Amino acid sequence: LAYRPAYPWLAGLSAGAASACRPSNLFLLIAVIGVVAWSQRSAWRAFLVALPAAFVGLPVALYNWITYGSVRGGYAIVHDSFRAFFPEGFAGILVSPSRGLLIYSPFLIAGFVGLYLMWRRASLRHSPVYLVAAIFVVTQLVFFGWWKMWWGGWSYGPRLLTEASAALIVLSAPAVERMRESSWTSKGFFVL
């Protein structure tokens, strides 16, 4: 039996609102629409997700157009943002002492283990929730790893990966389930 959310419009509205808050969350919206279309084999259900997102996104795009002359807003003036050395940016967003996600939240290693387990187990790969989370995490890591200012400004912590952290929490569920099989991995996770 295929997974059919009762309120696809709510998923679209939520992902659209997230995209309005931070443009990089557009990857979440794309993942939700794509996974709904793929998992339910229904363009109509995908449309029911995309329509409320457009309802939220169009006023933001209009504001950006009026204010900045581009639907991308202030980001439109940055032309060379994605010319960074990807391995440096990728390592920086994960393990930099002042910005690294795994430095500030080492327990999220479980999310990466869950991502690995998801690709190994067909039952997890076919879960729309895990699939959306995985797509979102991967796109965020690639997007910000290539961004010239991967450190995200003058603050401490992994602020650019805040939303990806939530998706990693979701992906950690299969890893935590697997950790129950071994006491030393459970203790290691507790320490993290």
Side-chain angles (χ1 to χ4, degrees), residues 113-163:
V113 172
L115 182 63
Y116 170 76
L117 291 173
M118 189 194 117
W119 290 114
R120 298 276 322 257
R121 294 185 194 163
S123 62
L124 295 175
R125 266 196 318 269
H126 293 295
S127 164
V129 172
Y130 290 137
L131 195 53
V132 166
I135 292 169
F136 183 60
V137 165
V138 169
T139 56
Q140 292 292 283
L141 292 174
V142 170
F143 183 77
F144 289 118
W146 254 312
W147 194 28
K148 196 181 214 178
M149 284 185 56
W150 58 262
W151 54 89
W154 297 102
S155 64
Y156 282 98
R159 74 174 191 84
L160 295 178
L161 295 178
T162 302
E163 292 87 352

Side-chain angles (χ1 to χ4, degrees), residues 171-183:
L171 289 169
S172 69
V176 171
E177 192 66 34
R178 180 120 185 228
M179 282 181 214
R180 292 182 181 183
E181 299 170 7
S182 168
S183 66

Side-chain angles (χ1 to χ4, degrees), residues 20-174:
C21 292
R22 182 178 285 180
S24 63
N25 288 337
L26 187 61
F27 294 115
L28 175 65
L29 177 60
I30 293 168
V32 169
I33 292 169
V35 168
V36 166
W38 172 77
S39 66
Q40 298 183 17
R41 310 286 191 264
S42 171
W44 175 249
R45 298 286 285 189
F47 175 76
L48 291 177
V49 171
L51 186 62
F55 181 74
V56 173
L58 287 176
V60 173
L62 180 62
Y63 170 81
N64 285 340
W65 181 264
I66 292 168
T67 306
Y68 299 101
S70 171
V71 295
R72 294 182 296 160
Y75 295 102
I77 61 172
V78 184
H79 297 290
D80 62 347
S81 294
F82 294 96
R83 294 190 182 170
F85 182 57
F86 179 74
E88 177 186 333
F90 184 73
I93 59 177
L94 290 179
V95 294
S96 165
S98 64
R99 304 296 195 282
L101 178 69
L102 299 178
I103 299 298
Y104 283 85
S105 304
F107 69 94
L108 290 176
I109 290 170
F112 289 100
V113 172
L115 182 63
Y116 170 76
L117 291 173
M118 189 194 117
W119 290 114
R120 298 276 322 257
R121 294 185 194 163
S123 62
L124 295 175
R125 266 196 318 269
H126 293 295
S127 164
V129 172
Y130 290 137
L131 195 53
V132 166
I135 292 169
F136 183 60
V137 165
V138 169
T139 56
Q140 292 292 283
L141 292 174
V142 170
F143 183 77
F144 289 118
W146 254 312
W147 194 28
K148 196 181 214 178
M149 284 185 56
W150 58 262
W151 54 89
W154 297 102
S155 64
Y156 282 98
R159 74 174 191 84
L160 295 178
L161 295 178
T162 302
E163 292 87 352
S165 299
L168 283 167
I169 295 283
V170 169
L171 289 169
S172 69

